[in-house]
């Protein structure tokens, strides 16, 4: 029997819209899901934005105060897509109110924040999912199985990259993303958090690292009104960029493998250039988000001049069959969030975690904290998840 399940969204910028669309689509792709999400309420402090969301997507009610969501008995689960500095307060309160939470990365400003949310979820006995969407790509899951099965031999080294130009324009507005108090880290929390999760998802625990960071656009104009996404602001009062535009990091994995993680939000000429290359003693596997449904795979016994084959993922890989009937029919970014919504709702229905959890968020945040410490000290450090 399918059970109606009230959901709410707190923070209705671009990511709030993505979560809402995922709830609306999830039973189209997973018709046997035991829960039927119903859009109960949307919370957004920007005047008029919640009402626009309700009119477009059909939320039953709106509010400007997220605390009303915590007190609403109609709400069983909450998507938290508000700015980073609000993650901990909102998530802890929602868990204490008995709400299951689907929260966007990086889950607060520090690993301590992520741990506080994880502890609150555990104490309340609710489910918690985290928005590490790139691990949901069928090609990425196929790469993980290939690596674990030893099909490229023992992993020797890997490179993970996340380059984007979303903040490259000098007129990009000085939003909360560029402030320490509200955004925390810069590209560390935004893009490198995904890289840290992919590194662990594919290759296991990171034992130590050394990192370097830089700010390339040190000043931006303050916006004169509400913003969403990556808005521009020309002529506003200038202010300092307080967190990093760029990070490069050398990694040592517990397995003995070596890695490089590099991320930048001001890479002119790069639009969502995210991906990885993993090399082993007998082969390699490559993935590029812009060709999300393909893998480059080299395996065999030639060692030298060994060819790389393109593998198109299909219904036998990950969640592909829920979206397309045959290999080389493309899935897209929003589909990854539908996969995430399904795993979250399945976790609630079955009482067993599926997909990325708050434990994964704590580990990613610990790596980010270690990168920040390393960049400040100029030394190798080890990630230290707070106990």
């Amino acid at each position: 029997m399918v059970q109606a399940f009230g959901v709410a969204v707190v923070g209705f910028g671009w990511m709030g819209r993505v979560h809402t669309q995922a709830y609306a689509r999830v039973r189209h792709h997973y018709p046997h899901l035991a829960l039927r999400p119903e859009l109960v309420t949307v919370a957004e402090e920007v005047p008029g934005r919640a009402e626009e969301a309700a009119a477009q997507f059909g939320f039953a009610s709106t509010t400007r105060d997220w605390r009303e969501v915590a007190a609403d008995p109609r709400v069983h689960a909450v998507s938290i897509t508000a700015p980073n500095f609000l993650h901990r307060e909102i998530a802890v309160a929602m868990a204490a109110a008995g709400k299951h939470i689907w929260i966007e990365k990086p889950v607060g400003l520090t690993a301590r924040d992520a741990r506080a949310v994880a502890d609150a979820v555990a104490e309340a006995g609710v489910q918690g999912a985290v928005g590490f969407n790139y691990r949901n790509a069928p090609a990425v899951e196929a790469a993980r199985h290939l690596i674990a099965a030893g099909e490229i031999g023992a992993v020797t080294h890997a490179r993970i990259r996340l380059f984007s130009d979303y903040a490259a324009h000098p007129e990009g507005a000085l939003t909360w993303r560029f402030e320490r108090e509200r955004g925390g880290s810069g590209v560390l929390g935004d893009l490198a958090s995904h890289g840290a999760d992919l590194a662990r998802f594919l290759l296991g625990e990171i034992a130590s690292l050394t990192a370097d960071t830089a700010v390339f656009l040190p000043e931006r104009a303050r916006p004169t009104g509400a913003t969403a996404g990556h808005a521009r602001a020309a002529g506003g009062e200038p202010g300092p960029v307080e967190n990093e535009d760029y990070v490069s990091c050398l990694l040592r994995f517990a397995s003995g493998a070596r890695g490089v993680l590099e991320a930048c939000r001001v890479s002119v000429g790069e639009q969502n250039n995210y991906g990885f290359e993993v090399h082993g003693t007998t082969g390699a596997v490559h993935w590029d988000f812009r060709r999300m449904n393909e893998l480059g795979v080299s395996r065999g016994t030639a060692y030298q001049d060994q060819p790389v084959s393109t593998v198109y993922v299909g219904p036998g890989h990950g969640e592909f069959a829920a979206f397309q009937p045959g290999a080389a029919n493309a899935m897209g970014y929003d589909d990854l969030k539908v996969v995430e919504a399904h795993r979250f709702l399945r976790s609630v229905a079955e009482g067993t975690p599926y997909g990325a959890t708050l434990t994964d968020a704590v580990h990613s945040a610990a790596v980010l904290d270690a990168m920040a410490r390393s960049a400040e000290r100029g030394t190798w450090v080890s990630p230290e998840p707070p106990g």
Side-chain angles (χ1 to χ4, degrees):
M1 180 177 177
V2 177
Q3 177 183 348
F5 188 73
V7 299
V9 176
V10 175
F12 206 82
W14 171 63
M15 190 53 67
R17 179 180 296 269
V18 172
H19 277 231
T20 302
Q21 292 170 167
Y23 285 130
R25 292 178 54 199
V26 65
R27 284 189 56 81
H28 298 169
H29 298 278
Y30 298 95
H32 301 297
L33 182 63
L35 300 177
R36 183 180 70 252
E38 295 185 349
L39 300 176
V40 172
T41 190
V42 55
E44 171 56 63
E45 65 176 11
V46 176
R49 191 177 284 176
E51 289 74 17
E52 291 175 3
Q56 181 175 1
F57 295 102
F59 287 96
S61 61
T62 67
T63 180
R64 292 182 63 182
D65 187 351
W66 61 261
R67 294 167 185 82
E68 293 183 4
V69 177
D72 192 334
R74 300 172 301 165
V75 175
H76 303 109
V78 180
S79 278
I80 301 171
T81 53
N84 299 351
F85 73 101
L86 294 171
H87 284 184
R88 178 173 178 169
E89 181 183 9
I90 295 174
V92 169
M94 294 299 174
K99 317 296 188 188
H100 305 281
I101 63 171
W102 176 14
I103 186 170
E104 275 305 314
K105 54 80 200 166
V107 189
L109 304 180
T110 64
R112 193 171 299 278
D113 285 350
R115 170 55 70 189
V117 175
D119 288 346
V121 164
E123 182 176 350
V126 296
Q127 294 295 320
V130 180
F132 289 130
N133 42 273
Y134 298 111
R135 63 154 63 189
N136 298 330
V140 173
E141 295 190 326
R144 185 185 192 220
H145 290 308
L146 183 151
I147 292 165
E151 293 191 36
I152 62 170
V155 173
T156 54
H157 60 102
R159 183 169 74 100
I160 299 171
R161 69 186 186 283
L162 299 108
F163 297 146
S164 183
D165 64 357
Y166 71 78
H169 201 290
E171 292 181 359
L174 188 68
T175 64
W176 61 268
R177 295 180 182 277
F178 302 96
E179 299 175 356
R180 284 286 179 194
E181 184 176 349
R182 296 195 296 164
S185 59
V187 78
L188 285 180
D190 193 14
L191 296 181
S193 59
H194 284 297
D197 181 66
L198 283 174
R200 180 168 171 265
F201 183 70
L202 293 168
L203 305 172
E205 303 299 337
I206 295 169
S208 60
L209 59 84
T210 185
D212 182 41
T213 62
V215 177
F216 296 134
L217 292 177
E219 191 174 82
R220 295 178 181 273
R222 300 184 189 279
T224 56
T227 61
H230 307 297
R232 294 185 190 176
E237 179 186 353
V241 171
E242 298 173 351
N243 50 33
E244 72 290 336
D245 291 325
Y246 170 85
V247 61
S248 61
C249 184
L250 298 179
L251 306 170
R252 292 174 179 165
F253 291 89
S255 66
R258 298 299 195 260
V260 177
L261 192 161
E262 192 176 15
C264 185
R265 65 188 180 187
V266 297
S267 297
V268 175
E270 300 285 7
Q271 295 86 42
N272 296 334
N273 182 359
Y274 309 153
F276 56 78
E277 298 89 39
V278 179
H279 296 267
T281 52
T282 62
V285 58
H286 308 159
W287 181 72
D288 187 324
F289 169 67
R290 298 165 300 179
R291 305 180 70 90
M292 192 179 85
N293 304 285
E294 302 176 16
L295 278 180
V297 180
S298 178
R299 51 191 165 188
T301 57
Y303 296 100
Q304 292 180 306
D305 301 323
Q306 185 162 284
V308 177
S309 300
T310 298
V311 175
Y312 297 100
V313 293
H317 300 103
E319 301 286 337
F320 190 93
F323 297 87
Q324 298 293 351
N329 288 288
M331 289 176 61
Y333 174 88
D334 284 5
D335 295 331
L336 302 184
K337 301 307 278 191
V338 175
V339 172
E340 209 164 87
H342 170 250
R343 290 175 174 174
F344 171 49
L345 294 170
R346 184 183 176 192
S347 298
V348 173
E350 299 181 16
T352 300
Y354 293 95
T357 67
L358 284 158
T359 297
D360 297 309
V362 171
H363 281 278
S364 174
V367 171
L368 303 185
D369 283 3
M371 288 182 188
R373 291 199 310 274
S374 174
E376 180 180 356
R377 301 174 186 174
T379 61
W380 283 85
V381 300
S382 295
E384 299 174 357

